[in-house]
Amino acid sequence: MFFGGHSVPPPHCHTTLAFGGAKRNGAAVQQYDDHITLITPDAPLATRTHGGRAKCLQRLVRLNLPVPQTLALSFQTVRRIAAGEMPSAELLLGPFKPSAILCVRPSSEDPDWGGPGAVLNIGMNDARYVELADRIGREAAAKLYLRFVQSYAIHVARLDAEAFDDVSDEPVTGLKQALAAYEDETEEEFPQDPGRQLGEVLRSMARAWEGTTARLLRQAKGAPANAGLGLVVQEMALGLGEGECGSGVMQLVNSQTGARQITGRYLSQSQGREALRGGVDALFLERDPRGPSLEELAPEAFAQLKAHTVLMREKLREEMQAEFTIENGRLYLLDGVRVARNARAAVAIAVALAEDGIIPREEALMRVEPRALNELLHRQVDPEAARDVLARGIAASPGAASGRIVFNATEAQASESRREPCILVRRETSSEDIRGMHAAVGVLTERGGMTSHAAVIGRGMGKPCVVGASSIQFHMRRKQLVFPKGRVVKAGDWITIDGTHGEVLAGDTPLLEPARDEALATLMGWADETRDIAVRANADTPADAEMARSFKAQGIGLCRTEHMFFEADRLTVMREMIFADSGEDRAAALELLLPMQRADFIHLFRIMQGQPVCIRLFDPPLHEFLPTDRSGMRELAEALDLPLSDVTRRVEALGEYNPMLGMRGVRLGITVPEIYEMQARAIFEATVEASREGDPVVPEIMIPLVSARREVELVKTRVDAVAAAVRNETGKSFTYRLGVMVETPRAALRAGEIAPLVSFLSFGTNDLTQMTYGLSRDDAGRFMSDYVQQGVYPEDPFHTLDTDGVGELLKIGAERGRRARPDLVLSICGEHGGNPESIAFCRSAGFDYVSCSPFRVPVARLAAAQLAVRERTGQVSEI
């Protein structure tokens, strides 16, 4: 029986013939319920039952490639072995020659989930050592035996590696010492029976997979808790003999760039040395004047290897790396694995396979993970560089940057003027930090989450940002940071922030430059031909708009006008308006801002070249434009020629207990109407001017923080009046679209009342999430990880759209709005707009477009294309 240790198979067990359809060495191969089977072209193997390696080896066998005899153990078999039920040695060894040397390799469903390391040279014992010594020499035979003894001792018998520290480097002597050390540690001789050796190796690997640490590691990589492991037992081609012998790997592309290039390595046992290329671990396969190559040492085997690798690419529809051995000039393929690749290479490989007609374009789109594009669009920490991690926070904006620490916006601007890169460090950022964020190469904050001010602005600027680094002590007055292990970094010291992984690193860490190449442009072109939902960009400045254009955004979905008021010349005028005592005085102050705003909008419209631009009217509370410390108030008093006491009282009067729910957005536009009137005039005058030189501009004006129909009526009346005035003054006709930014639950619920007054509803999911949950997006980072870990929320709702709660409000708003006005345009413009999961929701809910930060536009374009492919053709199966 199979799990009884007997060699006779049960009646229902059938016999599978060996490789090539004939018995191998006179022995038939036994098979039990498809769980242990010889890998043949028609063997019942599947990735979901035996793992990816076993299935790939079967594909190589089907291509009639020279694969050594291999036995596959299913997930179920490995689980039984881990539980103590071991197949008989006769069943496991039956397919192989009595003298065969074996190896065992893991075969998980997804190679990224890892697994225990391979164990080689199983079957080496004293008798086999003597036989091999006569054929290949004592030293070569001793090396094989010694490697197996050490590997078995450490990974199977679980002995300390230090027990073999004193083993000699000379193989024959070292072997004797290793065997003696094993016997001393275990109080028994090294196992000589190949069946026992193989059984113990299988048991060790099976139990290692079932261990808690291994399970947690693979779950962190996305594996389910019950993920299975298969094992493959393969006869080894030793690559030892009198003719050309050796081993290596070959692939047809560069793993870093995806360019067509034969790379790999070959260790010639005959030559006894490796030939290095360029000082890296890539050995000569093709002819090279700097040293011997496989092509010279074994030209026939090299030609076969190259042809086999090309065939694997064509038939397996993937760039593959061939692991091979050459024994006396004869080639054996031990394995074929998917070529390791970074994001840049993944794009290039997918595009090349499609252009060569090996896969369709739709499948090429599906083979690139949208979020992986961040690696191509931003600088990244060199994966080969040492990482001295000081602390971790929330990865709020991807990319990496190194610079000297500065603690305020003024220092950041001074550093930029000296052309010295700097990292802006703040407890949390606010609107007054905008200039400093522009000047810095990256931002680090103590507080905040994925939708905090620093995170949103950082993503918009394309600057790396780590927020919520609460494990760091921020001493702002002393201008120093104290990290968890007591390390202190002060102003002027160098640090590196990795916004992709949320890490703060010590020093000036090596970085890799972005890689926006032709392959990426080709892939994105295919994505645009395929997707059926538009993608716009959130852009607040002309620089943002230029970036949006370069990333092929289909317009601007959110322009936050308040960011235009923080330049030094505008900030003073803005403060004069805030301190004005009457509507006339406010209008006079705003009259100075009008030409500045008009120039901003003209520039924006011209950059977008006729594409839609959605401008959100003024949103933040006025106190954000006022100083918070005494020195700042003193400077303001001097600038306005007012007593310091008047300035202090005014600042205090504008203070609110909860400003984000106070006098802001449409509430400010109704109570201080001069602001919205000035902005509307600037938009319309810019529309007339920009339309003189190109396509007519049709601006979109968005009212923020609406919660009632009457608010829209009041603002619409004033905006319409300004539009009529500008038409009369200029003699030019133009159109515009008015819309509402749905940020309050009430606006979503009453969308049916609001929709008849507007052309569009754009859901601001940052504030809508905040108000739906009753959470502060700036403070939630302190406890959100605990909530997610304990299952309170499945994900951070500020990072991944809550399709159940917030999503229900979106659906209600969309349905009621479209019922009242069928041609209503729907979109989201919060930071969720760039997430693939959010795009899927919006697409299914019938939204017209999503809008996100410029650097997230390519991610959104690819994600939208993948959704369209899945709907039309179903999920493209993986290799």
Side-chain angles (χ1 to χ4, degrees):
M1 299 293 292
F2 172 66
F3 287 106
H6 302 292
S7 60
V8 179
H12 61 274
C13 183
H14 63 274
T15 298
T16 302
L17 295 180
F19 179 72
K23 290 186 178 182
R24 197 167 190 177
N25 303 305
V29 180
Q30 299 167 345
Q31 179 174 316
Y32 181 87
D33 289 344
D34 301 338
H35 295 306
I36 295 182
T37 182
L38 182 67
I39 295 181
T40 61
D42 57 352
L45 294 175
T47 301
R48 67 180 183 278
T49 58
H50 290 77
R53 173 171 271 124
K55 187 61 183 176
C56 184
L57 285 169
Q58 184 182 48
R59 288 173 173 147
L60 301 187
V61 170
R62 286 174 177 171
L63 295 175
N64 202 30
L65 299 182
V67 178
Q69 191 89 319
T70 308
L71 194 67
L73 281 65
S74 71
F75 297 168
Q76 183 175 334
T77 299
V78 174
R79 289 192 182 100
R80 290 179 178 179
I81 291 174
E85 299 181 65
M86 180 61 64
S88 69
E90 291 86 350
L91 185 63
L92 294 172
L93 295 176
F96 305 105
K97 296 177 294 187
S99 61
I101 304 299
L102 307 175
C103 69
V104 179
R105 302 172 187 267
S107 179
S108 58
E109 190 169 351
D110 187 325
D112 291 338
W113 298 348
V119 178
L120 311 180
N121 302 334
I122 300 165
M124 283 299 299
N125 52 26
D126 294 348
R128 189 75 179 111
Y129 166 59
V130 172
E131 293 173 12
L132 283 175
D134 291 339
R135 183 161 67 89
I136 63 175
R138 291 183 63 202
E139 184 173 316
K143 282 183 179 179
L144 292 175
Y145 198 2
L146 174 59
R147 288 173 185 167
F148 177 53
V149 170
Q150 291 179 313
S151 176
Y152 186 96
I154 296 169
H155 301 295
V156 179
R158 305 294 176 183
L159 303 183
D160 291 335
E162 290 78 5
F164 300 90
D165 284 348
D166 296 329
V167 169
S168 172
D169 293 334
E170 197 281 314
V172 176
T173 303
L175 174 60
K176 294 178 180 178
Q177 294 172 338
L179 289 169
Y182 181 91
E183 188 170 347
D184 289 342
E185 292 291 324
T186 62
E187 298 183 351
E188 65 177 16
E189 292 184 350
F190 187 79
Q192 297 294 302
D193 177 28
R196 179 187 169 189
Q197 292 176 355
L198 179 57
E200 293 298 330
V201 168
L202 295 175
R203 180 183 290 110
S204 174
M205 295 177 74
R207 290 180 174 174
W209 178 261
E210 297 293 335
T212 301
T213 300
R215 185 174 65 254
L216 292 175
L217 285 174
R218 63 178 176 267
Q219 283 184 260
K221 297 177 181 178
N226 63 345
L229 175 73
L231 295 172
V232 294
V233 182
Q234 187 176 72
E235 182 175 346
M236 294 183 65
L238 297 178
L240 297 170
E242 297 180 358
E244 176 56 36
C245 299
S247 59
V249 295
M250 172 191 273
Q251 62 190 55
L252 303 176
V253 295
N254 185 300
S255 290
Q256 301 301 313
T257 66
R260 296 304 300 271
Q261 175 187 358
I262 292 181
T263 62
R265 63 180 182 272
Y266 175 65
L267 173 60
S268 173
Q269 298 294 341
S270 306
Q271 296 290 318
R273 61 188 178 87
E274 295 180 354
L276 295 178
R277 180 194 301 217
V280 298
D281 189 29
L283 313 182
F284 293 135
L285 295 173
E286 298 179 288
R287 294 180 185 273
D288 194 287
R290 291 169 290 176
S293 68
L294 174 59
E295 187 175 13
E296 296 169 291
L297 299 174
E300 185 176 343
F302 173 79
Q304 291 174 353
L305 176 63
K306 185 176 178 181
H308 293 339
T309 311
V310 169
L311 182 64
M312 289 163 61
R313 177 179 187 264
E314 294 174 354
K315 297 301 183 180
L316 302 187
R317 305 165 63 250
E318 180 58 284
E319 289 291 354
M320 303 294 290
Q321 182 186 80
E323 181 181 350
F324 66 93
T325 292
I326 294 176
E327 189 169 276
N328 294 322
R330 183 178 178 183
L331 174 68
Y332 296 91
L333 285 183
L334 309 181
D335 202 359
V337 298
R338 181 175 177 271
V339 167
R341 66 203 68 183
N342 60 14
R344 180 183 180 186
V347 170
I349 289 170
V351 169
L353 288 171
E355 289 181 334
D356 290 346
I358 295 174
I359 62 174
R361 290 181 177 182
E362 290 79 7
E363 186 169 349
L365 290 170
M366 301 301 294
R367 289 198 179 190
V368 179
E369 164 59 36
R371 289 187 177 89
L373 296 185
N374 286 320
E375 293 182 28
L376 280 70
L377 305 176
H378 304 271
R379 286 181 175 178
Q380 301 291 335
V381 174
D382 187 341
E384 303 298 324
R387 300 173 74 97
D388 184 1
V389 180
L390 297 172
R392 290 179 172 84
I394 297 172
S397 181
S402 300
R404 298 183 185 277
I405 293 178
V406 298
F407 284 84
N408 57 55
T410 302
E411 293 174 356
Q413 290 177 286
S415 181
E416 182 188 37
S417 68
R418 298 191 299 268
R419 297 184 178 180
E420 294 179 355
C422 66
I423 304 294
L424 178 62
V425 174
R426 302 290 289 164
R427 289 196 185 280
E428 57 187 338
T429 62
S430 64
S431 298
E432 63 185 13
D433 292 308
I434 291 292
R435 286 174 291 169
M437 295 178 73
H438 273 290
V441 296
V443 180
L444 170 65
T445 70
E446 178 185 20
R447 303 169 187 154
M450 286 300 297
T451 54
S452 63
H453 181 272
V456 172
I457 302 304
R459 287 193 291 271
M461 294 179 178
K463 298 199 174 187
C465 180
V466 175
V467 303
S470 55
S471 64
I472 307 172
Q473 299 177 37
F474 285 60
H475 297 289
M476 305 303 289
R477 290 186 179 178
R478 285 183 278 174
K479 294 187 176 181
Q480 65 180 31
L481 303 175
V482 179
F483 290 91
K485 294 183 180 180
R487 295 173 67 175
V488 177
V489 177
K490 59 185 184 300
D493 290 343
W494 280 79
I495 63 170
T496 297
I497 61 169
D498 183 350
T500 303
H501 299 97
E503 294 180 340
V504 183
L505 311 176
D508 184 6
T509 307
L511 305 178
L512 297 180
E513 293 299 317
R516 303 172 203 164
D517 54 19
E518 185 178 341
L520 177 61
T522 300
L523 186 76
M524 298 313 300
W526 296 345
D528 292 339
E529 294 171 5
T530 304
R531 63 187 169 89
D532 51 15
I533 185 171
V535 179
R536 296 193 194 180
N538 300 342
D540 304 332
T541 66
D544 293 341
E546 294 277 12
M547 190 61 66
R549 288 288 296 183
S550 71
F551 287 137
K552 301 292 194 295
Q554 294 168 278
I556 292 176
L558 173 62
C559 174
R560 292 164 284 219
T561 54
E562 59 268 15
H563 295 155
M564 300 175 176
F565 293 115
F566 282 96
E567 296 298 329
D569 56 339
R570 305 180 186 197
L571 187 58
T572 300
V573 179
M574 190 68 185
R575 288 170 171 174
E576 288 180 10
M577 185 275 296
I578 294 172
F579 275 79
D581 294 324
S582 66
E584 292 76 10
D585 291 341
R586 283 194 293 271
L590 289 167
E591 190 68 27
L592 299 176
L593 285 174
L594 174 62
M596 302 177 189
Q597 278 264 276
R598 183 172 59 235
D600 289 334
F601 295 141
I602 290 173
H603 199 175
L604 212 57
F605 292 150
R606 285 176 174 167
I607 290 171
M608 298 313 295
Q609 299 175 5
Q611 288 192 326
V613 176
C614 184
I615 299 168
R616 184 181 73 182
L617 296 175
F618 194 86
D619 181 48
L622 293 178
H623 77 87
E624 290 192 6
F625 294 86
L626 299 177
T628 56
D629 56 12
R630 191 168 182 81
S631 63
M633 292 183 191
R634 186 181 299 110
E635 291 176 5
L636 180 57
E638 292 174 355
L640 300 181
D641 194 24
L642 292 173
L644 178 60
S645 58
D646 288 357
V647 172
T648 303
R649 279 194 298 271
R650 184 62 169 160
V651 171
E652 291 174 351
L654 286 172
E656 296 177 287
Y657 287 110
N658 192 343
M660 298 314 292
L661 295 178
M663 183 72 78
R664 56 168 284 219
V666 69
R667 300 157 194 168
L668 188 63
I670 290 174
T671 56
V672 188
E674 296 83 6
I675 297 177
Y676 279 10
E677 289 174 356
M678 181 276 291
Q679 288 195 299
R681 175 169 285 276
I683 292 169
F684 296 140
E685 290 179 355
T687 297
V688 171
E689 182 63 29
S691 297
R692 297 181 194 276
E693 301 177 0
D695 296 332
V697 174
V698 181
E700 298 175 354
I701 299 176
M702 184 158 62
I703 310 170
L705 212 70
V706 166
S707 58
R709 172 188 171 92
R710 182 58 179 161
E711 292 173 324
V712 182
E713 290 175 341
L714 291 170
V715 173
K716 178 177 171 57
T717 299
R718 291 183 179 275
V719 172
D720 285 344
V722 174
V726 173
R727 289 190 187 103
N728 290 334
E729 293 165 11
T730 62
K732 299 291 184 181
S733 178
F734 58 84
T735 59
Y736 76 95
R737 301 186 185 99
L738 185 71
V740 161
M741 190 170 184
V742 181
E743 301 168 272
T744 67
R746 193 177 193 279
L749 295 171
R750 308 309 296 170
E753 296 177 354
I754 295 171
L757 300 175
V758 298
S759 299
F760 64 90
L761 296 179
S762 186
F763 291 82
T765 52
N766 296 349
D767 271 342
L768 186 58
T769 299
Q770 186 169 232
M771 294 188 193
T772 302
Y773 275 84
L775 288 174
S776 165
R777 66 189 188 188
D778 293 313
D779 299 314
R782 297 184 178 184
F783 61 84
M784 188 57 68
S785 61
D786 291 333
Y787 260 49
V788 173
Q789 288 173 7
Q790 296 184 48
V792 180
Y793 303 147
E795 297 286 348
D796 180 346
F798 293 112
H799 186 213
T800 301
L801 181 66
D802 166 27
T803 56
D804 295 328
V806 179
E808 186 171 358
L809 285 173
L810 265 65
K811 287 182 178 179
I812 290 172
E815 291 169 0
R816 294 179 180 179
R818 284 247 170 96
R819 192 182 306 136
R821 179 167 183 168
D823 63 344
L824 187 70
V825 174
L826 299 173
S827 68
I828 66 169
C829 57
E831 281 304 299
H832 294 106
N835 290 340
E837 299 85 358
S838 306
I839 297 170
F841 174 86
C842 292
R843 188 173 171 275
S844 66
F847 279 44
D848 297 280
Y849 71 86
V850 298
S851 188
C852 55
S853 301
F855 279 89
R856 304 183 82 186
V857 166
V859 176
R861 289 162 61 198
L862 179 57
Q866 291 184 348
L867 291 166
V869 170
R870 287 192 182 99
E871 183 175 283
R872 289 202 296 264
T873 65
Q875 175 66 55
V876 177
S877 61
E878 297 178 355
I879 294 301

